[in-house]
Amino acid sequence: MTTNGDRRAEVEAGLARVRERVEAGCAAAGRSPSEICLVVVTKTHPASDVVLLADLGVTDVGENRDQEASGKHAECVGAGVTGLRWHFIGQLQTNKARSVARYADVVHSVDRPHLVAALSKAAHQAGREVECLVQVSLDGDTSRGGCLLDDLEEVASGVVAADALVLRGVMAVAPLGVDPYRAFAVLPSLRDRLLTLDPRAGLVSAGMSGDLEAAIACGATHLRVGSAVLGARPPLG
Ligand SMILES: *Cc1c(COP(=O)(O)O)cnc(C)c1O
């Protein structure tokens, strides 16, 4: 059993290590760390960790399951933590869109026209504007989420047409067993395709604990990092 003080020191050290990696990755890529937003992925970790992160200066957190995220968001607001930006990064069923649109500032996993329609309606009903990234499947295996590269404009133009949604960019996960530098190399061209649809669509969400340097080298603006900051996740029950 760790005490609160131990946990704070652990999370602070994890954050410092990741920030050092981001700085080194930016130096190697000739980029500035100010171009990078670190989204700390808090899935499976308690709301108390989110409160800690906010206190340590983290501004953006990511969650991948609606039920967990909505409860944690409410707990954080109850604890007075209201300034965080919440990123929804997991595969999203249309029947969860209503809930997600109530607390998510950014949805990274928009990957099909049906979901665009559901999110648009939900954001409108919630009286909120939700920023959307179109998730692409870099290896064409859409069962793990993401649209085919050929379908990027179809999904993205639906977001552009929806008045409660804003197209902000592209999101990808490196396929298993592939060199992430190779997999992510296509990202700048995808970003450029989206920028022709909306000048605000230049964000690139890529890079996790294991491949954040490759993502930085390939133009990522948003890293989604969980275990390197918070430690190993307990196995899903
Ligand atoms: C869990 C998750 C992450 C973070 O993974 P780590 O390896 O813990 O950094 C990033 N992106 C998505 C989509 C995730 O589900």
Side-chain angles (χ1 to χ4, degrees):
M1 182 91 198
T2 56
T3 68
N4 287 344
D6 289 343
R7 184 57 178 154
R8 185 185 174 92
E10 210 169 74
V11 172
E12 198 169 15
L15 262 181
R17 280 193 304 272
V18 169
R19 286 185 174 138
E20 267 175 42
R21 284 177 62 191
V22 171
E23 276 177 33
C26 284
R31 299 184 62 194
S32 161
S34 66
E35 298 170 30
I36 308 284
C37 174
L38 177 65
V39 178
V40 178
V41 178
T42 49
K43 65 188 186 196
T44 75
H45 296 283
S48 56
D49 276 0
V50 184
V51 173
L52 246 180
L53 288 165
D55 198 47
L56 290 168
V58 167
T59 54
D60 294 77
V61 294
E63 286 283 336
N64 74 333
R65 288 169 63 203
D66 170 59
Q67 200 181 347
E68 181 184 342
S70 59
K72 233 185 262 182
H73 174 263
E75 270 190 75
C76 288
V77 171
V81 176
T82 55
L84 284 173
R85 284 170 60 77
W86 289 75
H87 298 250
F88 191 85
I89 63 172
Q91 275 185 275
L92 181 53
Q93 292 170 289
T94 50
N95 64 358
K96 304 283 188 189
R98 222 175 127 85
S99 173
V100 168
R102 292 200 189 103
Y103 60 84
D105 298 291
V106 190
V107 176
H108 292 225
S109 45
V110 177
D111 61 0
R112 57 200 191 280
H114 253 87
L115 178 57
V116 174
L119 267 177
S120 168
K121 189 173 160 202
H124 188 81
Q125 281 173 347
R128 301 184 73 239
E129 193 170 73
V130 176
E131 299 182 25
C132 295
L133 304 181
V134 178
Q135 183 178 353
V136 294
S137 167
L138 295 177
D139 63 356
D141 175 8
T142 55
S143 67
R144 294 173 61 230
C147 67
L148 296 174
L149 301 189
D150 283 348
D151 295 338
L152 181 66
E153 279 79 8
E154 187 193 353
V155 179
S157 59
V159 175
V160 170
D163 59 2
L165 305 179
V166 183
L167 180 68
R168 293 306 314 278
V170 63
M171 181 275 223
V173 178
L176 294 172
V178 177
D179 174 6
Y181 284 87
R182 261 173 186 273
F184 289 150
V186 70
L187 291 173
S189 70
L190 303 180
R191 174 201 57 209
D192 291 348
R193 280 161 63 180
L194 293 185
L195 281 171
T196 67
L197 299 177
D198 190 317
R200 295 170 291 183
L203 304 187
V204 177
S205 167
M208 321 198 328
S209 293
D211 55 21
L212 65 90
E213 288 83 1
I216 291 170
C218 297
T221 61
H222 285 61
L223 309 175
R224 308 177 309 270
V225 180
S227 50
V229 173
L230 294 171
R233 283 181 288 275
L236 290 175

PDB file of all heavy atoms in Angstrom, residues 15-32:
ATOM      1  N   LEU A  15       6.449  11.820 -14.829  1.00  0.00           N
ATOM      2  CA  LEU A  15       6.244  13.003 -15.680  1.00  0.00           C
ATOM      3  C   LEU A  15       7.583  13.601 -16.087  1.00  0.00           C
ATOM      4  O   LEU A  15       7.782  13.961 -17.252  1.00  0.00           O
ATOM      5  CB  LEU A  15       5.471  14.072 -14.902  1.00  0.00           C
ATOM      6  CG  LEU A  15       3.983  14.206 -15.102  1.00  0.00           C
ATOM      7  CD1 LEU A  15       3.477  15.356 -14.227  1.00  0.00           C
ATOM      8  CD2 LEU A  15       3.620  14.438 -16.561  1.00  0.00           C
ATOM      9  N   ALA A  16       8.498  13.700 -15.142  1.00  0.00           N
ATOM     10  CA  ALA A  16       9.816  14.296 -15.433  1.00  0.00           C
ATOM     11  C   ALA A  16      10.547  13.453 -16.473  1.00  0.00           C
ATOM     12  O   ALA A  16      11.153  13.999 -17.407  1.00  0.00           O
ATOM     13  CB  ALA A  16      10.629  14.412 -14.144  1.00  0.00           C
ATOM     14  N   ARG A  17      10.474  12.129 -16.335  1.00  0.00           N
ATOM     15  CA  ARG A  17      11.150  11.250 -17.314  1.00  0.00           C
ATOM     16  C   ARG A  17      10.550  11.432 -18.708  1.00  0.00           C
ATOM     17  O   ARG A  17      11.270  11.494 -19.710  1.00  0.00           O
ATOM     18  CB  ARG A  17      11.017   9.770 -16.896  1.00  0.00           C
ATOM     19  CG  ARG A  17      11.988   9.321 -15.814  1.00  0.00           C
ATOM     20  CD  ARG A  17      12.006   7.788 -15.704  1.00  0.00           C
ATOM     21  NE  ARG A  17      10.687   7.209 -15.471  1.00  0.00           N
ATOM     22  CZ  ARG A  17      10.150   7.017 -14.254  1.00  0.00           C
ATOM     23  NH1 ARG A  17      10.830   7.346 -13.169  1.00  0.00           N
ATOM     24  NH2 ARG A  17       8.948   6.493 -14.130  1.00  0.00           N
ATOM     25  N   VAL A  18       9.229  11.497 -18.777  1.00  0.00           N
ATOM     26  CA  VAL A  18       8.584  11.652 -20.091  1.00  0.00           C
ATOM     27  C   VAL A  18       8.904  13.022 -20.678  1.00  0.00           C
ATOM     28  O   VAL A  18       9.188  13.149 -21.878  1.00  0.00           O
ATOM     29  CB  VAL A  18       7.063  11.418 -19.986  1.00  0.00           C
ATOM     30  CG1 VAL A  18       6.343  11.842 -21.262  1.00  0.00           C
ATOM     31  CG2 VAL A  18       6.795   9.942 -19.696  1.00  0.00           C
ATOM     32  N   ARG A  19       8.902  14.048 -19.862  1.00  0.00           N
ATOM     33  CA  ARG A  19       9.221  15.388 -20.390  1.00  0.00           C
ATOM     34  C   ARG A  19      10.656  15.434 -20.911  1.00  0.00           C
ATOM     35  O   ARG A  19      10.930  16.088 -21.918  1.00  0.00           O
ATOM     36  CB  ARG A  19       8.957  16.453 -19.318  1.00  0.00           C
ATOM     37  CG  ARG A  19       7.447  16.676 -19.144  1.00  0.00           C
ATOM     38  CD  ARG A  19       7.110  17.807 -18.193  1.00  0.00           C
ATOM     39  NE  ARG A  19       5.660  18.048 -18.182  1.00  0.00           N
ATOM     40  CZ  ARG A  19       4.959  18.296 -17.080  1.00  0.00           C
ATOM     41  NH1 ARG A  19       5.544  18.338 -15.907  1.00  0.00           N
ATOM     42  NH2 ARG A  19       3.650  18.513 -17.168  1.00  0.00           N
ATOM     43  N   GLU A  20      11.567  14.705 -20.236  1.00  0.00           N
ATOM     44  CA  GLU A  20      12.948  14.633 -20.746  1.00  0.00           C
ATOM     45  C   GLU A  20      12.995  13.933 -22.098  1.00  0.00           C
ATOM     46  O   GLU A  20      13.719  14.345 -22.999  1.00  0.00           O
ATOM     47  CB  GLU A  20      13.837  13.850 -19.767  1.00  0.00           C
ATOM     48  CG  GLU A  20      14.560  14.713 -18.767  1.00  0.00           C
ATOM     49  CD  GLU A  20      15.321  13.864 -17.754  1.00  0.00           C
ATOM     50  OE1 GLU A  20      15.949  12.863 -18.172  1.00  0.00           O
ATOM     51  OE2 GLU A  20      15.268  14.210 -16.556  1.00  0.00           O
ATOM     52  N   ARG A  21      12.223  12.853 -22.217  1.00  0.00           N
ATOM     53  CA  ARG A  21      12.182  12.145 -23.511  1.00  0.00           C
ATOM     54  C   ARG A  21      11.610  13.039 -24.598  1.00  0.00           C
ATOM     55  O   ARG A  21      12.081  13.017 -25.740  1.00  0.00           O
ATOM     56  CB  ARG A  21      11.336  10.863 -23.391  1.00  0.00           C
ATOM     57  CG  ARG A  21      12.052   9.723 -22.676  1.00  0.00           C
ATOM     58  CD  ARG A  21      11.136   8.514 -22.519  1.00  0.00           C
ATOM     59  NE  ARG A  21      10.695   7.944 -23.798  1.00  0.00           N
ATOM     60  CZ  ARG A  21       9.735   7.022 -23.916  1.00  0.00           C
ATOM     61  NH1 ARG A  21       9.113   6.579 -22.831  1.00  0.00           N
ATOM     62  NH2 ARG A  21       9.404   6.549 -25.097  1.00  0.00           N
ATOM     63  N   VAL A  22      10.606  13.818 -24.264  1.00  0.00           N
ATOM     64  CA  VAL A  22      10.014  14.727 -25.255  1.00  0.00           C
ATOM     65  C   VAL A  22      11.049  15.767 -25.676  1.00  0.00           C
ATOM     66  O   VAL A  22      11.217  16.049 -26.865  1.00  0.00           O
ATOM     67  CB  VAL A  22       8.739  15.403 -24.694  1.00  0.00           C
ATOM     68  CG1 VAL A  22       8.242  16.498 -25.630  1.00  0.00           C
ATOM     69  CG2 VAL A  22       7.649  14.354 -24.455  1.00  0.00           C
ATOM     70  N   GLU A  23      11.783  16.297 -24.709  1.00  0.00           N
ATOM     71  CA  GLU A  23      12.810  17.291 -25.043  1.00  0.00           C
ATOM     72  C   GLU A  23      13.889  16.700 -25.929  1.00  0.00           C
ATOM     73  O   GLU A  23      14.299  17.309 -26.927  1.00  0.00           O
ATOM     74  CB  GLU A  23      13.443  17.858 -23.767  1.00  0.00           C
ATOM     75  CG  GLU A  23      12.609  18.984 -23.193  1.00  0.00           C
ATOM     76  CD  GLU A  23      13.183  19.528 -21.886  1.00  0.00           C
ATOM     77  OE1 GLU A  23      14.415  19.542 -21.733  1.00  0.00           O
ATOM     78  OE2 GLU A  23      12.367  19.928 -21.037  1.00  0.00           O
ATOM     79  N   ALA A  24      14.341  15.490 -25.583  1.00  0.00           N
ATOM     80  CA  ALA A  24      15.388  14.841 -26.388  1.00  0.00           C
ATOM     81  C   ALA A  24      14.859  14.514 -27.784  1.00  0.00           C
ATOM     82  O   ALA A  24      15.555  14.707 -28.794  1.00  0.00           O
ATOM     83  CB  ALA A  24      15.879  13.574 -25.682  1.00  0.00           C
ATOM     84  N   GLY A  25      13.622  14.042 -27.852  1.00  0.00           N
ATOM     85  CA  GLY A  25      13.014  13.721 -29.150  1.00  0.00           C
ATOM     86  C   GLY A  25      12.877  14.966 -30.018  1.00  0.00           C
ATOM     87  O   GLY A  25      13.115  14.921 -31.233  1.00  0.00           O
ATOM     88  N   CYS A  26      12.504  16.064 -29.399  1.00  0.00           N
ATOM     89  CA  CYS A  26      12.374  17.323 -30.148  1.00  0.00           C
ATOM     90  C   CYS A  26      13.740  17.806 -30.617  1.00  0.00           C
ATOM     91  O   CYS A  26      13.892  18.256 -31.762  1.00  0.00           O
ATOM     92  CB  CYS A  26      11.698  18.395 -29.285  1.00  0.00           C
ATOM     93  SG  CYS A  26       9.921  18.165 -29.139  1.00  0.00           S
ATOM     94  N   ALA A  27      14.744  17.689 -29.753  1.00  0.00           N
ATOM     95  CA  ALA A  27      16.093  18.118 -30.142  1.00  0.00           C
ATOM     96  C   ALA A  27      16.556  17.305 -31.342  1.00  0.00           C
ATOM     97  O   ALA A  27      17.095  17.847 -32.313  1.00  0.00           O
ATOM     98  CB  ALA A  27      17.057  17.961 -28.966  1.00  0.00           C
ATOM     99  N   ALA A  28      16.321  15.997 -31.306  1.00  0.00           N
ATOM    100  CA  ALA A  28      16.749  15.124 -32.406  1.00  0.00           C
ATOM    101  C   ALA A  28      16.003  15.444 -33.702  1.00  0.00           C
ATOM    102  O   ALA A  28      16.538  15.266 -34.798  1.00  0.00           O
ATOM    103  CB  ALA A  28      16.525  13.656 -32.021  1.00  0.00           C
ATOM    104  N   ALA A  29      14.759  15.902 -33.567  1.00  0.00           N
ATOM    105  CA  ALA A  29      13.936  16.163 -34.751  1.00  0.00           C
ATOM    106  C   ALA A  29      13.982  17.626 -35.181  1.00  0.00           C
ATOM    107  O   ALA A  29      13.304  18.009 -36.144  1.00  0.00           O
ATOM    108  CB  ALA A  29      12.484  15.752 -34.468  1.00  0.00           C
ATOM    109  N   GLY A  30      14.736  18.448 -34.462  1.00  0.00           N
ATOM    110  CA  GLY A  30      14.787  19.871 -34.792  1.00  0.00           C
ATOM    111  C   GLY A  30      13.466  20.564 -34.551  1.00  0.00           C
ATOM    112  O   GLY A  30      13.076  21.472 -35.279  1.00  0.00           O
ATOM    113  N   ARG A  31      12.755  20.119 -33.509  1.00  0.00           N
ATOM    114  CA  ARG A  31      11.470  20.746 -33.178  1.00  0.00           C
ATOM    115  C   ARG A  31      11.540  21.354 -31.780  1.00  0.00           C
ATOM    116  O   ARG A  31      12.443  21.053 -31.006  1.00  0.00           O
ATOM    117  CB  ARG A  31      10.340  19.698 -33.232  1.00  0.00           C
ATOM    118  CG  ARG A  31      10.165  19.065 -34.606  1.00  0.00           C
ATOM    119  CD  ARG A  31       8.972  18.107 -34.622  1.00  0.00           C
ATOM    120  NE  ARG A  31       7.734  18.816 -34.333  1.00  0.00           N
ATOM    121  CZ  ARG A  31       6.600  18.217 -34.011  1.00  0.00           C
ATOM    122  NH1 ARG A  31       6.538  16.901 -33.914  1.00  0.00           N
ATOM    123  NH2 ARG A  31       5.511  18.935 -33.773  1.00  0.00           N
ATOM    124  N   SER A  32      10.537  22.178 -31.470  1.00  0.00           N
ATOM    125  CA  SER A  32      10.483  22.783 -30.145  1.00  0.00           C
ATOM    126  C   SER A  32       9.462  22.033 -29.283  1.00  0.00           C
ATOM    127  O   SER A  32       8.360  21.739 -29.748  1.00  0.00           O
ATOM    128  CB  SER A  32      10.072  24.244 -30.270  1.00  0.00           C
ATOM    129  OG  SER A  32       9.607  24.707 -29.018  1.00  0.00           O
TER     130      SER A  32
END
